[in-house]
Amino acid sequence: MKNVVAIVGRPNVGKSTLFNRLTQSRQAIVNEEAGTTRDRQYGRVEWTGREFSLIDTGGWVVNSDDVFESEINKQVQVAIEEADVMLFVVDVLTGVTDLDDEVARKLRRSNKPVILAVNKADNYETHALAAEFYSMGLGDPYCVSAINGSYTGDLLDRIVEALPAEISDETEEELPRIAVVGRPNAGKSSLVNAFIGEERHIVTDIAGTTRDSIYTKYNKFGLNFYLVDTAGIRKKNKVNEDLEYYSVIRSIRAIENSDVCVLMVDAVRGIESQDLNIFSIICKNKKGLLVCVNKWDLVEDKSPESIKTYIRAIQDRFAPFTDFPVLFISATTKQRIFKVLEKARDVYENRYRRVPTAKLNEVMLPIIENTPPPAIKGKYVKIKYITQLPGGNVPSFVFFCNLPQWVKEPYRRFLENKMRENWDFSGTPIQIFMREK
């Protein structure tokens, strides 16, 4: 897991400007008006080979009647608890204020490394004014100018020095990573517990019990990989509890770092819009997919027709990508749970399937000849040769033709479907590129 650095301070000292400067982005809104930043913003910073997450927080205030201010303070408090290093930003032009002292007291109590960044030090005259910040007892102040970037390199050197040794996820990179994802309370932790045969993860009826992405090594029955139990991902407007924000971020990160995602769907509640959102995150990241309809023991009608209807409903909602395995399981009664692991392994193998170029051309060229791409403006597209790109985490194929720009999405989908009919790419996305021969 990456280290986390939180930017804290009172309103209007330039925290968001510094955040944008360090992350080299324009992610945080910057405005002259105090209190512009309300929610925590996340960014990624890379410096001298080290990478860390940076959090921009709202300004810390006390004894205010503004309804937002108490919420902002709560957000800042959570950022302080979550971070490995605090970046305390103050304003050299206004000097030490009562609010600065209040924040400094809070940071000293946290017993975490604190770096004091004195902002708006645009010239050498202002550097002399920074001496008064020694009174806070937080060590040497670092003079910077967020607006023009002066001395931010020195500040980053100091941050990297203060970061603890990088926490590894205790995973060996070469082993497949299978992430169990889904809405809150879909039975993700119960499934992982059923796999490993012990109550390693807390399971309750309360949605949102799991908050971290937890890696568990699984090495049984000839299967060897990492299982990741993630927090449930819910809609933005439902994320109201402080810690939950981090849980959702970590779950999305777990999807990004996995090879295959086991998407848990609640059989009783059916497919909801949040399942579609998670599905779209998996597709965007081009990960392998296996859909598990959990709590199947609670469904009364288990006839083959009912199963077919359920599979059709899932495929209709997830179209156009419909070539993925669907399993009906129960994590509590352990019904068909071993099948989940076997299918997940199959999907992982499909991601790295190689089709020999000769075979590819032998099968696909006659199909293309019988059903060529539609002519556009009297121009005919002729596909001459196909090959699979080496490496990569997703099977990628290049079709060499005379007019690649005229091959539209429906025909690409047709080619993909024909390839899926001839080779087993179940559960994995396929990339098709058209190139001029």
Side-chain angles (χ1 to χ4, degrees):
M1 274 167 64
K2 288 194 204 90
N3 296 123
V4 177
V5 176
I7 301 179
V8 292
R10 63 182 174 79
N12 233 7
V13 291
K15 296 184 297 299
S16 295
T17 312
L18 186 60
F19 173 87
N20 286 346
R21 171 70 57 186
L22 298 183
T23 56
Q24 299 182 325
S25 71
R26 291 187 176 179
Q27 219 173 312
I29 299 167
V30 176
N31 195 310
E32 290 293 319
E33 190 185 323
T36 301
T37 305
R38 283 177 181 163
D39 293 314
R40 299 185 297 283
Q41 275 275 15
Y42 273 82
R44 195 174 65 92
V45 182
E46 213 173 307
W47 188 253
T48 61
R50 282 297 293 272
E51 202 179 283
F52 58 88
S53 292
L54 190 67
I55 311 175
D56 178 28
T57 62
W60 181 270
V61 283
V62 285
N63 305 328
S64 163
D65 300 331
D66 189 331
V67 64
F68 282 113
E69 319 263 81
S70 64
E71 288 303 314
I72 291 169
N73 286 0
K74 254 193 244 173
Q75 301 271 348
V76 176
Q77 187 59 49
V78 174
I80 290 172
E81 285 165 18
E82 178 78 2
D84 301 302
V85 175
M86 310 293 160
L87 186 56
F88 178 25
V89 183
V90 290
D91 184 340
V92 72
L93 302 176
T94 53
V96 180
T97 67
D98 294 347
L99 258 181
D100 289 329
D101 281 331
E102 176 80 28
V103 178
R105 265 199 299 279
K106 202 156 204 57
L107 294 177
R108 281 198 299 272
R109 281 200 295 271
S110 73
N111 292 326
K112 289 185 177 179
V114 179
I115 296 165
L116 184 59
V118 182
N119 193 24
K120 306 186 185 176
D122 300 340
N123 53 49
Y124 285 115
E125 287 80 62
T126 52
H127 284 218
L129 303 173
E132 72 166 303
F133 290 98
Y134 277 104
S135 66
M136 292 179 165
L138 292 172
D140 295 334
Y142 281 77
C143 291
V144 295
S145 170
I147 204 99
N148 63 28
S150 310
Y151 299 99
T152 47
D154 297 347
L155 180 66
L156 282 165
D157 285 340
R158 175 72 191 96
I159 292 171
V160 167
E161 196 183 295
L163 288 175
E166 203 131 53
I167 321 148
S168 78
D169 286 327
E170 294 170 11
T171 63
E172 300 159 28
E173 286 301 317
E174 64 274 9
L175 284 187
R177 296 180 181 207
I178 294 171
V180 183
V181 297
R183 288 196 308 256
N185 222 16
K188 298 179 292 295
S189 297
S190 303
L191 181 67
V192 176
N193 284 342
F195 286 151
I196 57 181
E198 56 183 87
E199 294 293 315
R200 182 163 314 179
H201 304 166
I202 300 168
V203 177
T204 68
D205 287 335
I206 303 161
T209 302
T210 304
R211 284 184 167 146
D212 279 301
S213 298
I214 303 163
Y215 284 83
T216 307
K217 190 166 182 182
Y218 184 93
N219 191 352
K220 292 178 186 171
F221 312 111
L223 298 169
N224 191 11
F225 46 72
Y226 283 101
L227 278 169
V228 193
D229 178 22
T230 62
I233 306 173
R234 60 177 83 202
K235 286 183 182 169
K236 270 188 192 151
N237 58 0
K238 296 265 176 73
V239 178
N240 45 21
E241 196 185 330
D242 293 336
L243 283 164
E244 229 179 85
Y245 183 85
Y246 290 104
S247 305
V248 172
I249 291 284
R250 286 202 196 105
S251 296
I252 292 170
R253 272 198 202 154
I255 290 174
E256 288 169 357
N257 295 328
S258 68
D259 295 302
V260 177
C261 295
V262 177
L263 174 55
M264 301 284 282
V265 174
D266 189 324
V268 180
R269 292 172 65 176
I271 301 278
E272 292 184 358
S273 61
Q274 201 45 25
D275 295 314
L276 296 176
N277 291 346
I278 299 165
F279 173 76
S280 72
I281 294 169
I282 295 167
C283 284
K284 262 185 214 152
N285 286 285
K286 298 198 166 17
K287 301 299 176 187
L289 173 67
L290 162 63
V291 175
C292 287
V293 182
N294 190 28
K295 307 184 185 176
W296 193 239
D297 53 317
L298 304 178
V299 174
E300 285 176 19
D301 181 11
K302 297 186 178 72
S303 65
E305 285 72 32
S306 164
I307 289 172
K308 276 182 196 159
T309 307
Y310 218 114
I311 291 173
R312 258 201 315 277
I314 291 172
Q315 289 177 336
D316 288 348
R317 298 293 296 275
F318 289 170
F321 180 37
T322 56
D323 184 18
F324 48 80
V326 180
L327 293 176
F328 294 83
I329 66 162
S330 167
T332 46
T333 65
K334 302 193 177 178
Q335 183 184 10
R336 280 188 284 278
I337 62 159
F338 188 66
K339 196 93 179 131
V340 176
L341 297 180
E342 287 183 330
K343 281 286 181 197
R345 182 195 55 198
D346 293 346
V347 169
Y348 178 76
E349 285 168 1
N350 291 345
R351 278 171 75 75
Y352 296 96
R353 186 176 302 289
R354 301 275 317 152
V355 181
T357 303
K359 192 76 186 152
L360 203 52
N361 286 278
E362 183 190 316
V363 172
M364 291 301 293
L365 288 179
I367 293 171
I368 293 165
E369 207 169 307
N370 290 335
T371 318
I376 295 181
K377 297 179 183 173
K379 291 190 169 79
Y380 291 92
V381 180
K382 293 185 178 66
I383 295 171
K384 300 286 185 189
Y385 179 74
I386 310 150
T387 186
Q388 184 173 0
L389 291 173
N393 292 333
V394 181
S396 304
F397 299 89
V398 180
F399 287 71
F400 290 97
C401 58
N402 57 340
L403 298 163
Q405 69 274 25
W406 296 118
V407 182
K408 303 300 180 201
E409 194 55 40
Y411 194 75
R412 285 171 194 259
R413 273 212 289 274
F414 163 77
L415 292 175
E416 183 182 325
N417 292 339
K418 289 297 172 192
M419 292 179 78
R420 289 184 186 280
E421 281 172 25
N422 286 283
W423 295 281
D424 185 5
F425 287 113
S426 174
T428 182
I430 291 177
Q431 293 191 106
I432 287 179
F433 301 103
M434 293 291 165
R435 294 281 180 272
E436 202 158 347
K437 69 176 194 298

